[in-house]
Amino acid sequence: MMQISESNNQRHSLFSAMNRFIGAVNNMDQIVMVPSLLRDVPLEYEEEKGEVNNAVVLTGGNGAASYLTDRDMYSYYVLLKSIRNDIEWGVLQQGDDRKKEKLSTAVDICRVDPEEEDENLQKQFHFHLSGLHTVLSKLTRKANTLTNRYKQEIGIGSWGQ
């Protein structure tokens, strides 16, 4: 079968970004044979200062943002696998959250003119699509970084490259 290379436009598609992320996490999952070795190992260092650079913002199920610092490779490993599963299998919402979301959306739609609604929806779509693409790219880099750091930690840094 003939393999078609990604054009420049396809490279920026959401499907390509999701496939790159899922591929990076699958590769990470195949390379990391002993996830417990990742505990207490920082993912990245700032090159100039030698300090750990792991500040991350997560949103919990209740919508409250929590700021985590000094995350180890194991927590990133679990996070990346969880996000991959959410992409592949979907995200389950709680019944109350779904009802609140539908009610909020219905109220917002009632306030907007029908002509403005189409334009607003298009702007919202492009805003969220761009954001999702950016987040997937960052997560893909984290998965690749974690995989390479794991290889370094167990002494197979140049293996498979």
Side-chain angles (χ1 to χ4, degrees):
M1 183 192 298
M2 188 172 143
Q3 190 175 18
I4 301 172
S5 64
E6 272 188 356
S7 72
N8 193 32
N9 290 338
Q10 288 175 324
R11 196 172 308 133
H12 297 290
S13 79
L14 180 60
F15 290 119
S16 295
M18 286 191 302
N19 284 332
R20 283 191 298 273
F21 170 70
I22 290 170
V25 174
N26 287 342
N27 182 46
M28 174 192 76
D29 209 16
Q30 289 176 356
I31 298 292
V32 177
M33 296 299 215
V34 186
S36 63
L37 291 177
L38 303 173
R39 291 190 189 276
D40 300 326
V41 179
L43 182 60
E44 296 176 350
Y45 289 96
E46 284 187 29
E47 292 181 20
E48 295 176 9
K49 298 178 185 176
E51 296 176 5
V52 176
N53 181 17
N54 286 330
V56 174
V57 179
L58 292 179
T59 302
N62 60 4
S66 60
Y67 296 87
L68 302 177
T69 56
D70 298 331
R71 296 192 66 175
D72 62 5
M73 286 176 53
Y74 182 79
S75 62
Y76 277 110
Y77 175 81
V78 171
L79 176 70
L80 292 165
K81 285 185 64 169
S82 173
I83 292 171
R84 179 197 58 192
N85 288 339
D86 288 346
I87 289 173
E88 290 179 330
W89 300 102
V91 179
L92 298 175
Q93 288 184 325
Q94 299 296 332
D96 291 340
D97 291 343
R98 191 176 299 152
K99 289 176 188 174
K100 287 178 187 176
E101 185 178 309
K102 286 181 182 178
L103 180 61
S104 173
T105 303
V107 169
D108 290 342
I109 289 173
C110 292
R111 293 181 187 161
V112 178
D113 281 348
E115 292 176 8
E116 291 178 11
E117 179 184 344
D118 291 338
E119 185 177 317
N120 191 24
L121 288 174
Q122 185 178 13
K123 286 179 183 176
Q124 287 179 4
F125 173 75
H126 286 287
F127 174 77
H128 290 292
L129 182 64
S130 174
L132 183 56
H133 193 277
T134 301
V135 168
L136 284 169
S137 296
K138 288 179 181 179
L139 290 170
T140 301
R141 283 192 298 273
K142 288 287 187 194
N144 290 331
T145 300
L146 190 145
T147 302
N148 292 332
R149 281 293 312 275
Y150 179 81
K151 287 179 181 180
Q152 289 174 355
E153 289 295 318
I154 63 169
I156 57 170
S158 61
W159 190 57
Q161 293 182 3

